[in-house]
Amino acid sequence: MMIQEVVRAVRSCAAILLEAERIDAKVMAKEGHANYVTAYDKQVQEALRERLLAILPESVFVGEEEDVHRSIEKGYAFIVDPIDGTSNFIKQYRCSCISVGITKDGERVGGVVYNPYTDELYQAEKGKGAYRNGEPIHVSADALADSLVAFGTAPYYEGLCDRSFALAREYCMKAVDVRRSGTAALDLCQVACGRNGMFFELRLQPWDFAAGSLIVEEAGGIVVNEDGGVPDLSSPTSVFAMNAVIYEEWKKEKMR
């Protein structure tokens, strides 16, 4: 597949984030609580559109910063989050990434997630394993009690706030501790490389997890929605990612 070309395209856009100036002067609000977009999000998206469609001209491009999204059911598609962790980016928190998921006939076949601040690039192709900066990665084999759990607060959906923090409290009592980074794509990659044993968020958009979820699976992990099914790439969904040991614990808990 064209994964290395996608890697080069993603890396080529990193300078836009690293060299950004006066970010707070270029912020626009979107629908939902604390939902923002910057001129840099749009700049990265357009640069990725040009580079990715040059690799595969017949593909569908689905970017977060678009009003209308085309179907990904036929042929190849790129599902792109130009800056995952926009609030972090605005506040110069230096924890944001570029995420590109690749699908064929609606199924995930590739993923690239790049954090330019740490120069960590995660990639995976279906059936070929997951890698960080070219080195193979794997989920941990730790039980929940020996793991960190990352979570997202689904901040754009205020009705989920109480349930999100109730779950976070529950996992805080059962795990070593909990973490909140502000970027689902990177949280998924932290599960993939074994730093975190689990990640959950009660509502994510497809571009938040299209790449990272495949990276987790190719690293030996499991990604499901809250009901235990496959997260839907056509609409917002809950996402729970974990290693196999924690997944067995999670299933037993769900059956009670």
Side-chain angles (χ1 to χ4, degrees):
M1 202 174 61
M2 73 302 288
I3 195 76
Q4 293 307 324
E5 293 177 83
V6 175
V7 165
R8 286 191 288 272
V10 168
R11 281 191 178 277
S12 72
C13 295
I16 298 173
L17 278 72
L18 295 174
E19 297 171 6
E21 297 179 343
R22 299 190 67 236
I23 300 168
D24 56 348
K26 301 177 181 179
V27 176
M28 295 147 276
K30 299 197 293 184
E31 185 178 352
H33 169 71
N35 192 5
Y36 304 110
V37 61
T38 72
Y40 294 106
D41 291 79
K42 295 186 176 184
Q43 186 178 345
V44 173
Q45 179 159 299
E46 289 312 305
L48 283 171
R49 184 196 305 274
E50 179 181 343
R51 289 163 173 76
L52 294 175
L53 292 184
I55 297 167
L56 211 59
E58 69 275 19
S59 63
V60 171
F61 184 95
V62 178
E64 178 180 3
E65 310 309 335
E66 291 184 313
D67 294 326
V68 179
H69 297 118
R70 294 166 56 197
S71 171
I72 65 168
E73 292 305 308
K74 299 293 183 183
Y76 280 102
F78 295 107
I79 304 179
V80 172
D81 194 336
I83 303 179
D84 188 46
T86 297
S87 294
N88 287 349
F89 178 66
I90 293 168
K91 296 297 183 182
Q92 300 182 56
Y93 203 74
R94 300 180 68 81
C95 182
S96 304
C97 66
I98 300 169
S99 177
V100 176
I102 308 164
T103 65
K104 184 177 182 183
D105 298 335
E107 299 295 325
R108 293 163 301 139
V109 295
V112 176
V113 175
Y114 183 45
N115 179 354
Y117 301 105
T118 61
D119 193 29
E120 287 186 308
L121 188 140
Y122 298 85
Q123 67 185 82
E125 290 181 75
K126 192 166 185 64
K128 296 186 178 180
Y131 299 83
R132 179 182 63 220
N133 291 349
E135 296 296 322
I137 55 174
H138 202 276
V139 296
S140 76
D142 294 332
L144 182 61
D146 299 315
S147 298
L148 294 172
V149 174
F151 75 105
T153 56
Y156 313 146
Y157 308 97
E158 295 178 72
L160 295 174
C161 183
D162 288 347
R163 202 150 62 86
S164 295
F165 279 96
L167 272 175
R169 185 184 187 282
E170 177 184 334
Y171 287 122
C172 186
M173 301 300 291
K174 294 178 178 179
V176 172
D177 204 348
V178 294
R179 297 287 184 267
R180 163 78 170 127
S181 76
T183 156
L186 283 181
D187 281 338
L188 287 164
C189 291
Q190 304 287 34
V191 173
C193 71
R195 291 170 179 163
N196 294 329
M198 179 180 184
F199 162 75
F200 76 88
E201 189 153 2
L202 294 181
R203 190 166 300 171
L204 289 172
Q205 295 287 350
W207 43 82
D208 296 317
F209 68 89
S213 60
L214 181 71
I215 294 170
V216 170
E217 290 175 350
E218 287 299 312
I222 295 157
V223 182
V224 294
N225 61 26
E226 194 173 12
D227 297 323
V230 178
D232 191 348
L233 283 174
S234 64
S235 62
T237 181
S238 55
V239 173
F240 286 69
M242 61 205 95
N243 67 34
V245 177
I246 296 175
Y247 178 63
E248 291 304 319
E249 296 180 65
W250 184 82
K251 279 199 304 183
K252 288 178 182 177
E253 187 67 28
K254 294 285 288 183
M255 292 173 64
R256 289 183 182 178

